[in-house]
Amino acid sequence: MSMNCEDVERFAGAYADGELDLERTLALEAHVSTCAACTTRLDEAHAVKHALRAAPYFRAPEALAARVRAAAAAASTDATGMARQANILRVQRNRWRPWLLSAVSLAAAALVFVVVLRERAAVADDATTEAVIEGHVRSLMAGHLVDVASTDRHTVKPWFAGRVDFSPTVVDLVTDGFPLVGGRVDYIDRHTAAALIYKRRDHVINVFVWPQATGSPSHVTRSDVRGYHLISWTRGGMAVWIVSDLALSELEDFGRKLDAAMHD
Ligand SMILES: [Zn+2]
């Protein structure tokens, strides 16, 4: 899949919201990396997203909210208008000050709340990232890569029955150059995970899958930690984490094909 400027315009909002699937995320980023206009477009989408994010926590009374909107509109007028506004403000300062202060403190409180929420989310992601790497390294230790060794997904999938309380989708990617090696049950960051093991040449790829609350938007994250590449996303109520020391471009290719095959 490749994207042009029109596609980016269409998907910029979803991308900023973390709601694009892996394939579209990669295609969008590939285009944006070579297009200044779309880089600007994406920056704007991010700005809008942050403004909207703050909104639900801004529980101002409607009358106050209306006045804040009016003030914001006034603030965005041209220099002449602003000068005139400043005069009006000066005249009405005493009358305006109380709501201005409460608006500022509400905005500050909203900002703190948003920052706390985002940091909490980041910490959760970091903890999972560490746990995924640990799971990967652990699996590379002698004799611990697979509990069921098979290149046949019709053998691997039923093996999980009774071992995990969900049914992981197991796909065959051998024609794409990523043969299935087997499966394993693992425990990742307080999740009982189905681990699916694929190979690319002599590189091992661990795919960790566990149920994620349904309705959560797909959210693609990527990180590089100590020589390992990680890509994660959620779709169809499942969190998928892939980890390997494979080159990032190859792991992205794998992720794209895995995601597509899992949702055929
Ligand atoms: Zn473009």
Side-chain angles (χ1 to χ4, degrees), residues 16-215:
D17 291 339
E19 285 171 356
L20 272 195
D21 62 30
L22 183 65
E23 183 174 20
R24 287 199 176 97
T25 296
L26 296 176
L28 184 143
E29 288 175 355
H31 173 87
V32 168
S33 69
T34 64
C35 179
C38 287
T39 301
T40 307
R41 180 170 292 144
L42 221 55
D43 287 345
E44 286 167 1
H46 274 287
V48 168
K49 172 188 134 185
H50 290 306
L52 289 178
R53 272 233 174 132
Y57 310 112
F58 194 94
R59 304 208 181 281
E62 184 46 42
L64 173 60
R67 280 180 299 185
V68 170
R69 278 196 294 272
S76 65
T77 53
D78 59 24
T80 317
M82 282 176 77
R84 196 171 57 231
Q85 203 67 36
N87 280 329
I88 295 168
L89 274 173
R90 210 168 295 134
V91 171
Q92 300 186 330
R93 192 170 46 196
N94 290 338
R95 195 153 65 81
W96 285 51
R97 186 180 281 158
W99 75 257
L100 196 60
L101 283 177
S102 54
V104 167
S105 55
L106 267 174
L111 190 65
V112 168
F113 197 55
V114 168
V115 167
V116 166
L117 280 183
R118 302 187 81 214
E119 285 192 346
R120 197 171 294 164
V123 167
D125 271 2
D126 285 352
T128 311
T129 296
E130 280 301 320
V132 165
I133 292 173
E134 275 173 30
H136 179 67
V137 171
R138 208 164 47 224
S139 76
L140 299 178
M141 293 172 176
H144 208 177
L145 185 59
V146 293
D147 290 334
V148 52
S150 174
T151 57
D152 183 359
R153 66 195 178 98
H154 300 294
T155 303
V156 174
K157 185 181 168 69
W159 179 85
F160 282 104
R163 291 184 168 88
V164 296
D165 57 4
F166 55 95
S167 182
T169 304
V170 183
V171 297
D172 185 359
L173 297 172
V174 68
T175 54
D176 296 303
F178 300 100
L180 178 68
V181 180
R184 190 178 75 249
V185 173
D186 215 321
Y187 192 69
I188 305 289
D189 189 30
R190 290 164 290 141
H191 302 279
T192 301
L196 305 167
I197 300 89
Y198 292 84
K199 275 201 171 171
R200 175 72 151 195
R201 300 184 300 277
D202 54 343
H203 298 271
V204 170
I205 306 168
N206 264 288
V207 178
F208 296 107
V209 182
W210 61 80
Q212 188 97 324
T214 48

